[in-house]
Amino acid sequence: MSAAATAAGNFAARFNSTVLPPLVADLVNHEKAPLYASLAALLLVVLIASSVSSSSSSSSVSKSRKPLPPHVPHSVPLLGNAVPYGVQPVSYLRQCMEKFGDCFTFTMMGRKMTFCLDPDGNHFVFNVKLANATAEGAYDKLTVPVFGTEVVYDVPNSVLMEQKKFVKDALTTSAFKAYVPIIVDEARSLFAAWPDSNESLELFPEMAELTIRTASHCLMGKEIRDQLHSNVAKLYHDLDAGFKPINVFFRWLPLPSYFARDRAHKIMTQTFLDILAHRRTAAASVAAAVAADPSISAPPPPQDVLQSLMDAVYRDGSKMSDEAVAHMMIALLMAGQHTSSTSTSWIIFELARDPATVAALLREQAEVLTGDPNTPPHLLPELTYDALRKFTLLDRVMKESLRLHSPIHTVMRLVIQDLEYKGYTIPAGHFLCASPSVSQYDPAKFPNPEKFDPSRWETPTAGEDGAVGEWNINGVDIAQKAARSSYLPFGAGRHRCIGEFFAHKQIGAIISMFVREFEFEMKRDGKTGERPKAEPDFTSLIVMPVKGSSIEYRRREAFRKA
């Protein structure tokens, strides 16, 4: 076989394993799969070809005299650079940066993707003027079918900012103090359903279930949490399938994953509408009882995010419609599931290869909660919000895991007016992109960047000029102050994740309970006998562990079932 034929075969295998799965792999079990797949593939080619034509005509020539960013070459029509970017996006972007600098363009699915990398690029993309580039234009095809209308990227940015404020107003310190015991109880309940040992626990689905339970209980109350049974995790899995890279470009294709997404959205919307109606009926009954007998004291309304959205009033005096409230709750639970379930899973996977850090986490809990670092796990007092804030090693573990495994590796904006950046013109029609994950793997700022090393967050590092390095001073706090940062796992600026602090307490409480109750390692490979690390799955926009990533655990003796 010739070298060319070998290369072609290798490319075909890679294409089949990395690009086709998110597009048509879910067709193989369909009874009309061959015809269905052919029609879908034909439609996809037509749509991509059309987009190539429109993209080329609208943005290949700059109206400015300044040059366009360097263009990364590709040899595959239509797909462009989708395969190497899709396989290992962070590594590929770093390779491109070495060759073309920190601003370059490549083609993906017929679109021009212009990346601005490193802290300067992060700052530029996160703070680009709304008149020049929008998140709505980049994400509406992706988010509207999943979240629904009237919220997030289906509304102008000014409205989204008001919606975010409605949510933030409900996330008070007193609320967080009430949330921690809830999260602890939900974790105990889930863990109690597991056997005392398991040599192959697929972790991510379990953490997805737990985050749905905790988020719904905290944000909407126990009476609503009790209505959201395990089938909700399956519905959210179907909604999650709507977060494939292809969905950024095509709002709908005749693929089973799209049908499943739309069905799940319809069911979840109706679920929340029923919850809203039930809460209003209950409030009306209480009001009627108080009116009939003034001696009755009405209980205070629920203090949760759902009630905050129901009561919220926009600046123009209008209120959110019931559909908007329902869709916002879908968005909040989706965001919580993504950040918390993926991040919790990655932390456990990293700790499964680092028993010394697990032991140190237990010592820290004991020292903070009892003053005696040798207190056995089963004798530790209940977790509290105030105690979690004192777990400095736990905080470093979470920081480091988020550095290695940011939930989203690329953020995008659609350019609507030509932009200038570092002497280049970025034309209207391009997708403007940043990748904080690239700067979080910068070896100049994070030595040995592939290594899980919580100690790198212990002490600030001074630069050559004697100034303290911004990447090593309480990374999360520094990221809140500026987007020109090497550490932005929760985004920055007006699009910073509103659930960051809830996620921090949620993840911290779950990890604390998990290390108390279990001893655990990565699942042993049946062929090699080794315990490999979990690998990331980049076929979704949310960087989850690959399906099947598993641990082996044993419940500690004092926690075993009678």
Side-chain angles (χ1 to χ4, degrees):
M1 180 179 293
S2 69
T6 300
N10 291 340
F11 171 79
R14 201 174 197 186
F15 176 82
N16 289 335
S17 65
T18 60
V19 178
L20 286 183
L23 303 183
V24 298
D26 54 354
L27 295 172
V28 297
N29 293 323
H30 194 280
E31 59 184 0
K32 296 182 180 179
L35 175 61
Y36 204 178
S38 298
L39 291 174
L42 177 61
L43 176 61
L44 186 61
V45 169
V46 170
L47 289 171
I48 295 175
S50 300
S51 71
V52 170
S53 176
S54 62
S55 175
S56 299
S57 63
S58 65
S59 62
S60 60
V61 179
S62 169
K63 296 179 182 179
S64 168
R65 293 183 179 181
K66 290 187 166 78
L68 299 177
H71 198 285
V72 181
H74 62 270
S75 56
V76 182
L78 304 180
L79 288 173
N81 306 78
V83 171
Y85 172 72
V87 172
Q88 287 289 341
V90 177
S91 297
Y92 182 67
L93 291 174
R94 291 200 65 83
Q95 292 170 16
C96 290
M97 188 167 63
E98 291 175 3
K99 294 180 181 178
F100 302 101
D102 62 5
C103 181
F104 53 84
T105 300
F106 63 68
T107 300
M108 186 169 75
M109 307 299 287
R111 268 66 168 189
K112 298 294 193 300
M113 316 292 290
T114 297
F115 279 81
C116 300
L117 299 177
D118 273 359
D120 285 346
N122 295 338
H123 175 77
F124 180 69
V125 175
F126 279 113
N127 290 296
V128 67
K129 292 182 179 179
L130 295 174
N132 296 329
T134 68
E136 301 95 276
Y139 291 121
D140 60 346
K141 293 182 179 64
L142 176 81
T143 61
V144 175
V146 175
F147 298 158
T149 56
E150 301 183 64
V151 299
V152 192
Y153 296 129
D154 190 51
V155 295
N157 184 260
S158 59
V159 176
L160 172 58
M161 293 302 103
E162 289 193 71
Q163 292 176 348
K164 291 176 71 171
K165 185 178 184 302
F166 298 157
V167 175
K168 290 176 70 174
D169 287 347
L171 298 176
T172 62
T173 299
S174 61
F176 283 129
K177 289 184 176 181
Y179 292 160
V180 171
I182 292 172
I183 297 167
V184 167
D185 286 344
E186 290 287 359
R188 280 199 181 116
S189 176
L190 181 77
F191 298 159
W194 295 357
D196 281 337
S197 63
N198 191 333
E199 294 184 355
S200 182
L201 174 72
E202 187 172 1
L203 188 64
F204 177 73
E206 297 292 330
M207 294 302 102
E209 172 72 16
L210 181 54
T211 54
I212 287 293
R213 293 186 188 186
T214 55
S216 62
H217 195 158
C218 293
L219 303 181
M220 293 181 290
K222 187 176 188 303
E223 80 281 8
I224 295 171
R225 151 71 178 90
D226 291 342
Q227 298 180 49
L228 300 181
H229 303 293
S230 295
N231 64 317
V232 172
K234 171 61 170 66
L235 291 171
Y236 268 80
H237 176 273
D238 291 340
L239 287 173
D240 195 43
F243 279 99
K244 303 292 186 185
I246 187 70
N247 298 79
V248 172
F249 306 123
F250 305 112
R251 178 168 177 163
W252 193 83
L253 288 173
L255 299 173
S257 61
Y258 281 72
F259 290 119
R261 175 201 67 187
D262 295 344
R263 173 181 174 275
H265 172 77
K266 184 176 180 179
I267 293 173
M268 287 306 305
T269 297
Q270 190 57 53
T271 297
F272 285 117
L273 288 175
D274 292 344
I275 288 169
L276 288 169
H278 174 77
R279 184 169 283 196
R280 285 207 174 92
T281 299
S285 297
V286 170
V290 171
D293 184 355
S295 65
I296 297 176
S297 297
Q303 299 299 307
D304 52 35
V305 173
L306 177 61
Q307 194 65 41
S308 177
L309 294 176
M310 293 172 67
D311 296 339
V313 179
Y314 289 116
R315 291 192 187 97
D316 65 3
S318 64
K319 301 188 70 172
M320 296 182 74
S321 69
D322 283 1
E323 286 75 15
V325 173
H327 294 162
M328 195 67 178
M329 294 311 301
I330 292 175
L332 289 172
L333 286 185
M334 280 292 292
Q337 185 201 31
H338 284 151
T339 58
S340 295
S341 60
T342 56
S343 297
T344 304
S345 298
W346 283 120
I347 291 170
I348 293 174
F349 284 135
E350 293 293 353
L351 292 175
R353 295 165 53 82
D354 189 355
T357 298
V358 173
L361 286 171
L362 287 171
R363 286 195 300 272
E364 177 176 73
Q365 285 195 51
E367 178 66 34
V368 169
L369 293 170
T370 72
D372 179 2
N374 297 314
T375 305
H378 68 284
L379 296 181
L380 292 175
E382 292 289 348
L383 283 176
T384 65
Y385 170 80
D386 291 329
L388 280 172
R389 295 181 65 194
K390 297 176 183 177
F391 292 169
T392 55
L393 174 58
L394 176 63
D395 183 64
R396 295 197 298 270
V397 165
M398 288 193 281
K399 279 186 173 72
E400 180 68 351
S401 183
L402 283 166
R403 182 189 70 81
L404 289 167
H405 308 289
S406 285
I408 299 175
H409 60 74
T410 298
V411 297
M412 294 179 285
R413 307 287 184 259
L414 179 64
V415 181
I416 54 180
Q417 290 190 26
D418 287 5
L419 296 169
E420 291 188 6
Y421 179 71
K422 292 191 173 182
Y424 296 119
T425 292
I426 303 173
H430 279 217
F431 280 77
L432 175 67
C433 307
S435 180
S437 294
V438 170
S439 54
Q440 290 171 193
Y441 273 79
D442 183 354
K445 297 179 180 179
F446 300 100
N448 197 2
E450 303 284 340
K451 182 182 178 182
F452 175 72
D453 181 12
S455 69
R456 72 172 80 245
W457 299 98
E458 287 180 0
T459 307
T461 301
E464 294 180 1
D465 59 355
V468 174
E470 52 89 20
W471 55 89
N472 256 7
I473 308 176
N474 300 325
V476 172
D477 296 332
I478 289 297
Q480 290 173 338
K481 297 177 181 178
R484 188 175 274 108
S485 173
S486 298
Y487 184 77
L488 297 172
F490 288 102
R494 70 180 75 94
H495 292 290
R496 187 177 181 86
C497 175
I498 58 175
E500 173 185 351
F501 297 107
F502 174 75
H504 191 273
K505 301 310 172 195
Q506 181 187 37
I507 295 168
I510 292 172
I511 295 298
S512 297
M513 297 303 295
F514 188 86
V515 298
R516 280 190 190 190
E517 191 159 343
F518 300 104
E519 297 173 313
F520 54 99
E521 299 175 282
M522 292 300 298
K523 176 187 174 183
R524 193 181 297 279
D525 186 288
K527 295 181 180 179
T528 66
E530 297 178 351
R531 298 186 186 275
K533 67 178 183 179
E535 297 294 338
D537 177 6
F538 293 114
T539 61
S540 172
L541 291 180
I542 309 300
V543 187
M544 297 177 285
V546 294
K547 188 175 182 180
S549 298
S550 301
I551 60 168
E552 177 182 334
Y553 74 81
R554 297 163 298 284
R555 201 182 306 271
R556 297 182 191 276
E557 188 68 33
F559 289 95
R560 288 183 176 252
K561 302 174 185 178

